[in-house]
Amino acid sequence: LGRWVKVNLVVEGAKPTACNTVFIGGLPFDIEEESLRHFLAECGEITSIRWGEDKESGDFKGYAHVEFKEAGEAAEKAVAMTGTNLMGRRIRVDYATESRGRQES
């Protein structure tokens, strides 16, 4: 309670200026960080992966936000991978834009 969280909005189709973060949905529930890093290796250097987790149970929700070191081409390459099969699941990749932090209630 009273904690600030960083929120990224998903912007389908439209590329925000200087975007270096993408939303990846439809991830397999048993995926590990190394597998996702390997899958996106050709896109560019990844600086962080934030896994979507249930705030009550901590269970993985099947999505992540991936931040690349360089804005621009890395995110474009990742978004081009939408519909690709990863460990038996078709993934969805979209540009994400930062939003101001909001307070949890």
Side-chain angles (χ1 to χ4, degrees), residues 19-20 22 43-45 68-79:
C19 180
N20 69 334
V22 294
C43 298
E45 185 179 341
F68 293 97
K69 183 176 182 178
E70 301 291 326
E73 197 173 308
E76 287 178 27
K77 287 180 179 179
V79 169

Side-chain angles (χ1 to χ4, degrees), residues 10-65:
V10 175
V11 182
E12 285 191 62
K15 181 185 174 214
T17 307
C19 180
N20 69 334
T21 304
V22 294
F23 166 88
I24 303 181
L27 291 171
F29 288 94
D30 59 345
I31 192 166
E32 294 183 8
E33 183 170 339
E34 271 311 303
S35 298
L36 186 55
R37 285 183 180 275
H38 179 73
F39 181 75
L40 297 170
E42 292 183 18
C43 298
E45 185 179 341
I46 296 171
T47 57
S48 70
I49 298 174
R50 294 186 314 277
W51 302 98
E53 297 177 344
D54 182 272
K55 63 182 173 182
E56 304 258 328
S57 68
D59 291 341
F60 177 55
K61 294 175 77 174
Y63 72 89
H65 285 92

